[in-house]
C-alpha cells in the first residue's frame, strides 16, 4: 500500500494507540494536517505552541501514556522548546513532531527555518531529522519506545515538508534495532543484598521517595517496603501522592518548603533509601551539610543520576518495580525496632505541623484556606495541577494527596504558565475526573490564552487563581533576603479584570473577596461541566510560604512560621 509520508506518520501514530494530539498547523507541517481529517485521533487546536507541549505533559502525567504534540517549523519549534525542556527534567514521556523546510532548503536560512534537532539535542532523550519517507514508520516506533522505556522523557521527530509529501510502501516494524540503547531494568543481586544489609542495620532510616516511583508505577512496591519495615517516607514535590498523606508513615514533602518533620528526619537519618529521586538542590539545601550521618542507598533506572550530587554507598541501577520486590525478598521477616526513631519524628510532627494563622474577621482570605476548602469540596480522585510560585507550594503543603497521578506540576524547570495548559491535557486524558488548576496571578497571565482552547474544545477545567497582586515568591525572597527592597514584582490585583477576561475567553468567571464566599464559589464551579471556570480568589498579599530553608543554607537552618517559633525550638 502506497502512502505519503504524512499519511504514514498519522497511521503510525494510530498504531501506537494515540488518541489525542495537541498542536497548531503551519506551512511546513501542513501535509500532516490533511490526513488527520480522516483519522480517529482527536486534535486539540492550541493558541500557542508552548501550550501544546504543556498539554502533552499534562496528558502524560495524568494517564501514564506518552503525550503527543505537533507544530510547524521555525518559531513554532522554538516556542515548544520550554515544554520539551520541562518534560526532560521531570522525566515526562512525550513525542513532539515538528515540521521542517524541504530537505533541499535546509541550511539556506529559508523562511521559518531553524536547526530544530540542534536546538533540542540537549533537552530530548533523542531526536530524529527524517530525510527519507520510508523511514517514518520505523522512526515513529523508535520514538515511542525511547520516550517510554528506561528513564521516560521527551523525543522529537523533525519532518521536512518534502518528506511528508513523498511516498513510501507502508510497513510496520516487527522489531526495533537500537544499538547502544538497552536500559537496565533489573538491579544487580549483590547490590540488592548490600542494600538489605544496610536497611537491617539502620536505626534511623528514611525512605526518600522521588518522582521516579510515579513514573515507574511503583506505588504498591513502595508501600510494601514501608509497611514491612516501618520506615517513614518523605515524598518529593514530584512524588506527592505516591503514598497517601494520611498514611501513618508519611512525613510529607522535604526540602526548601517541606515539613519540619520531613526535613529533620533526613538531616538526622543514619540511612537514606533513595528511590527515583535525584538529590535536587531544593531538597538538599547546602549539599555539604545535607544528612551528614546518613549512608545512602540510591536506586534509579538512569545510571547518570547515581553519584551525581551525593555519593551512594550502595548504588543500584534498575526499574523500581523490579528492584523493590527483590529487596523485600532479602529483608528479614522481623523488622528492626524503630520505635525510638518514630517517636522522635512524631514529636516533631506534633510540635511543628504545617499551619498558618487564620484570617481575622473582615481581613483578607488566606491562600492556604482556599487550598484546604478546594480539597474538602472536591471528589477524592480530583486531579490537581499547579503553576509555579507560592501557590504551588501551598497546594503541595495543604492538599491531602492519596494517590499518584493526581498531582501534576512543573518540578525541575519551574515553568510559570504550566498550570492552565497542563490542566487541559490532564482533562483530555481523564475526562471523567474533575481537574482543578491552582495558579498564581503572575503564572496565569503567561498562558491564559489556553482557556480559549479549553472553551472551544469543550474541555471543562477549573482554575483557582490565588491573586495577591504580586510575583509572590519573588516578593517573599526580596522581603526576607533583600531588606524589603521590592524590585519589579507588583502586578496589581485588578489588572487585568480576571472575571471579564475569563468570560471573554468563553469561561465562567467569578471573584471571591472574603473567606465566607469561598465555599459557595467552589461549589458553583463544581457544578459547571460544559465549559471552563476561572475563580479570582483575592488573597492576603503578605502571606509567605513556611517553613523555608534559605537558598544555599543548611537544612538545619530551616525557618519556621513566626507563630510557631515562640515555643523554644
Amino acid at each position: 500500500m502506497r502512502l505519503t509520508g504524512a499519511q504514514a506518520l498519522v497511521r503510525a501514530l494510530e498504531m501506537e494507540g494515540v488518541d489525542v494530539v495537541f498542536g497548531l498547523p503551519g506551512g511546513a507541517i501542513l501535509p500532516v494536517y490533511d490526513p488527520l481529517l480522516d483519522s480517529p485521533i482527536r486534535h486539540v487546536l492550541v493558541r500557542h505552541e508552548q501550550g501544546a507541549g504543556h498539554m502533552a505533559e499534562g496528558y502524560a502525567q495524568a494517564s501514564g501514556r506518552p503525550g503527543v504534540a505537533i507544530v510547524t517549523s521555525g518559531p513554532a519549534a522554538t516556542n515548544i522548546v520550554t515544554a520539551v525542556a520541562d518534560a526532560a527534567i521531570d522525566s515526562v514521556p512525550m513525542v513532539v513532531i515538528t515540521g521542517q523546510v524541504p530537505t533541499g532548503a535546509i541550511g539556506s536560512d529559508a523562511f521559518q527555518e531553524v536547526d530544530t534537532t540542534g536546538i533540542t539535542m540537549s533537552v530530548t532523550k533523542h531526536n530524529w531529522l527524517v530525510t527519507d519517507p520510508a523511514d517514518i514508520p520505523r522512526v515513529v516506533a523508535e520514538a515511542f519506545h525511547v520516550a517510554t522505556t528506561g528513564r521516560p522523557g521527551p523525543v522529537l521527530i523533525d519532518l521536512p515538508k518534502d518528506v511528508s509529501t513523498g511516498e513510501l510502501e507502508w510497513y510496520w516494524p516487527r522489531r526495533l534495532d537500537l544499538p547502544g540503547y538497552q536500559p537496565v531494568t533489573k538491579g544487580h543481586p549483590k547490590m540488592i543484598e548490600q542494600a538489605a544489609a544496610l536497611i537491617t542495620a539502620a536505626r534511623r532510616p528514611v525512605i526518600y521517595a522521588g518522582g521516579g516511583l510515579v513514573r515507574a508505577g511503583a506505588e504498591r512496591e513502595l508501600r510494601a517496603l514501608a509497611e514491612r519495615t516501618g520506615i517513614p517516607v518523605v515524598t518529593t514535590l514530584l512524588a506527592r501522592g505516591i503514598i497517601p498523606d494520611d498514611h501513618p508513615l508519611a512525613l510529607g514533602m522535604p526540602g526548601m518548603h517541606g515539613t519540619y518533620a520531613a526535613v529533620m528526619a533526613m538531616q538526622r537519618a543514619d540511612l537514606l533509601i533513595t528511590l527515583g529521586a535525584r538529590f535536587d538542590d531544593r531538597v538538599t539545601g547546602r549539599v555539604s551539610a545535607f544528612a551528614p550521618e546518613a549512608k545512602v542507598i540510591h536506586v534509579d533506572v538512569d545510571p547518570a543520576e547515581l553519584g551525581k550530587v551525593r555519593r551512594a554507598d550502595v548504588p543500584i541501577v534498575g526499574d523500581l518495580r523490579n528492584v523493590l520486590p527483590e529487596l523485600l525478598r532479602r529483608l528479614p521477616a522481623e523488622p528492626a525496632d524503630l520505635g525510638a526513631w518514630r517517636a522522635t519524628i512524631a514529636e516533631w510532627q506534633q510540635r511543628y505541623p504545617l499551619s498558618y494563622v487564620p484570617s481575622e474577621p473582615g481581613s483578607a482570605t488566606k491562600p492556604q484556606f482556599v487550598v484546604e476548602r478546594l480539597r474538602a469540596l472536591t471528589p477524592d480522585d480530583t486531579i490537581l495541577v499547579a503553576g509555579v510560585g507560592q501557590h504551588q507550594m501551598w497546594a503541595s503543603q495543604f492538599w491531602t494527596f492519596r494517590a499518584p497521578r493526581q498531582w501534576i506540576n512543573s518540578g525541575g524547570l519551574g515553568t510559570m504558565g504550566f498550570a492552565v495548559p497542563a490542566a487541559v491535557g490532564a482533562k483530555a486524558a481523564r475526562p471523567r475526573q474533575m481537574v482543578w488548576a491552582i495558579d498564581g496571578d503572575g503564572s496565569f497571565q503567561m498562558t491564559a490564552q489556553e482557556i480559549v482552547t479549553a472553551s472551544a474544545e469543550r474541555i471543562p477545567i477549573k482554575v483557582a487563581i490565588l491573586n495577591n497582586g504580586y510575583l509572590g515568591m519573588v516578593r517573599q525572597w526580596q522581603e526576607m533576603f533583600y531588606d524589603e527592597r521590592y524590585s519589579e514584582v507588583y502586578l496589581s490585583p485588578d489588572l487585568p479584570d480576571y472575571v471579564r477576561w475569563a468570560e471573554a475567553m468563553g469561561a465562567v468567571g467569578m471573584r471571591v473577596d472574603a473567606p465566607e464566599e469561598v465555599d459557595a464559589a467552589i461549589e458553583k464551579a463544581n457544578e459547571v461541566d460544559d465549559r471552563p471556570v476561572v475563580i479570582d480568589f483575592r488573597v492576603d498579599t503578605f502571606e509567605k510560604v513556611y517553613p523555608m530553608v534559605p537558598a544555599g543554607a543548611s537544612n538545619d537552618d530551616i525557618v519556621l512560621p513566626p507563630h510557631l517559633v515562640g515555643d523554644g525550638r
Side-chain angles (χ1 to χ4, degrees):
M1 178 173 59
R2 298 291 290 179
L3 297 178
T4 67
Q7 290 171 326
L9 174 71
V10 174
R11 188 176 179 108
L13 294 177
E14 293 170 358
M15 294 293 288
E16 290 290 348
V18 174
D19 58 353
V20 183
V21 299
F22 307 92
L24 189 74
I29 201 67
L30 267 179
V32 172
Y33 271 77
D34 188 72
L36 265 179
L37 286 171
D38 303 318
S39 172
I41 296 174
R42 179 185 184 183
H43 181 275
V44 174
L45 177 61
V46 304
R47 266 50 181 179
H48 189 280
E49 293 86 354
Q50 182 184 351
H54 292 320
M55 287 180 200
E57 287 189 271
Y59 177 96
Q61 291 199 49
S63 69
R65 304 190 299 273
V68 180
I70 302 178
V71 301
T72 191
S73 62
T78 57
N79 281 344
I80 205 170
V81 168
T82 295
V84 174
D86 193 278
I89 199 166
D90 284 354
S91 307
V92 178
M94 183 163 76
V95 177
V96 176
I97 298 158
T98 51
Q100 184 55 277
V101 301
T103 51
I106 291 176
S108 68
D109 292 336
F111 178 66
Q112 292 190 332
E113 182 199 358
V114 294
D115 176 10
T116 304
T117 54
I119 289 170
T120 59
M121 184 175 294
S122 66
V123 292
T124 53
K125 281 189 74 176
H126 193 64
N127 60 28
W128 293 258
L129 173 62
V130 184
T131 57
D132 185 339
D135 291 339
I136 289 175
R138 173 184 58 79
V139 167
V140 172
E142 290 176 354
F144 277 80
H145 177 72
V146 172
T148 56
T149 53
R151 179 178 181 168
V155 299
L156 185 142
I157 302 170
D158 200 25
L159 200 61
K161 192 169 186 177
D162 58 320
V163 176
S164 296
T165 56
E167 291 189 350
L168 69 149
E169 189 67 24
W170 169 256
Y171 66 98
W172 186 242
R174 294 183 178 180
R175 58 182 296 274
L176 300 177
D177 182 20
L178 293 168
Y181 181 73
Q182 295 178 333
V184 176
T185 58
K186 294 185 178 179
H188 195 288
K190 286 187 177 179
M191 292 292 103
I192 296 176
E193 288 281 0
Q194 292 179 22
L198 283 185
I199 292 172
T200 303
R203 292 298 176 266
R204 300 190 309 280
V206 171
I207 295 175
Y208 170 19
L213 285 159
V214 179
R215 301 292 181 262
E219 60 269 24
R220 290 181 182 177
E221 290 79 3
L222 168 69
R223 191 160 174 167
L225 175 65
E227 293 179 348
R228 168 83 169 276
T229 60
I231 298 175
V233 182
V234 303
T235 48
T236 67
L237 182 67
L238 291 179
R240 306 287 290 121
I242 194 67
I243 188 169
D245 281 339
D246 46 11
H247 191 286
L249 293 171
L251 304 185
M253 185 172 68
M256 179 174 282
H257 295 296
T259 67
Y260 184 85
V263 173
M264 285 298 111
M266 296 183 87
Q267 285 301 96
R268 303 292 178 260
D270 64 358
L271 177 66
L272 292 180
I273 305 165
T274 309
L275 307 175
R278 56 187 179 85
F279 295 93
D280 181 87
D281 59 291
R282 291 295 172 106
V283 169
T284 65
R286 191 168 70 245
V287 175
S288 61
F290 173 67
E293 300 174 9
K295 293 184 177 180
V296 172
I297 298 167
H298 194 171
V299 186
D300 204 292
V301 75
D302 183 358
E305 288 297 338
L306 303 181
K308 187 177 76 175
V309 176
R310 173 73 176 252
R311 187 187 70 83
D313 297 276
V314 179
I316 301 174
V317 180
D319 188 313
L320 287 154
R321 285 208 302 181
N322 294 328
V323 173
L324 293 185
E326 289 300 313
L327 181 58
L328 267 176
R329 202 163 61 80
R330 289 167 171 80
L331 291 172
E334 288 296 323
D337 180 6
L338 304 179
W341 175 229
R342 288 174 58 183
T344 299
I345 293 173
E347 183 184 356
W348 290 332
Q349 289 176 304
Q350 186 174 13
R351 293 184 66 185
Y352 305 114
L354 289 173
S355 61
Y356 63 96
V357 178
S359 303
E360 296 289 338
S363 61
T365 305
K366 293 297 179 76
Q368 302 95 324
F369 175 73
V370 176
V371 177
E372 289 178 333
R373 297 313 299 158
L374 280 166
R375 173 67 289 188
L377 298 172
T378 53
D380 274 349
D381 66 348
T382 297
I383 294 174
L384 180 65
V385 186
V388 169
Q390 287 180 311
H391 64 278
Q392 177 191 26
M393 295 298 107
W394 287 318
S396 178
Q397 291 176 333
F398 289 93
W399 188 279
T400 302
F401 296 96
R402 296 192 176 92
R405 300 199 180 283
Q406 292 181 9
W407 166 240
I408 295 171
N409 75 127
S410 169
L413 198 64
T415 305
M416 290 178 66
F418 177 86
V420 170
V424 172
K427 185 65 177 176
R430 299 291 186 202
R432 295 181 180 178
Q433 288 177 243
M434 187 176 287
V435 176
W436 271 93
I438 292 179
D439 218 349
D441 44 319
S443 194
F444 180 79
Q445 291 186 49
M446 290 193 171
T447 55
Q449 76 280 351
E450 301 306 343
I451 294 292
V452 179
T453 301
S455 296
E457 299 279 346
R458 297 293 180 189
I459 300 175
I461 64 168
K462 308 175 197 309
V463 183
I465 303 173
L466 302 184
N467 179 5
N468 60 10
Y470 278 90
L471 295 170
M473 188 61 87
V474 184
R475 184 193 186 285
Q476 177 171 334
W477 283 45
Q478 290 179 345
E479 179 179 337
M480 297 177 70
F481 310 120
Y482 290 86
D483 298 326
E484 301 184 13
R485 289 168 55 84
Y486 301 118
S487 177
E488 300 299 328
V489 288
Y490 180 66
L491 297 176
S492 167
D494 301 312
L495 184 65
D497 182 325
Y498 292 98
V499 174
R500 294 174 65 188
W501 193 13
E503 292 172 347
M505 293 189 288
V508 174
M510 290 184 270
R511 173 173 158 174
V512 172
D513 291 296
E516 56 270 23
E517 300 171 2
V518 169
D519 281 15
I522 294 171
E523 288 168 348
K524 183 178 179 181
N526 286 342
E527 293 172 358
V528 177
D529 199 33
D530 62 345
R531 71 196 71 181
V533 180
V534 177
I535 306 178
D536 174 11
F537 288 100
R538 301 296 177 97
V539 298
D540 189 338
T541 297
F542 303 103
E543 192 69 11
K544 292 191 281 294
V545 182
Y546 287 113
M548 181 174 188
V549 178
S554 164
N555 284 345
D556 288 325
D557 299 325
I558 188 169
V559 179
L560 291 165
H563 67 274
L564 287 182
V565 295
D567 61 352
R569 175 172 68 90

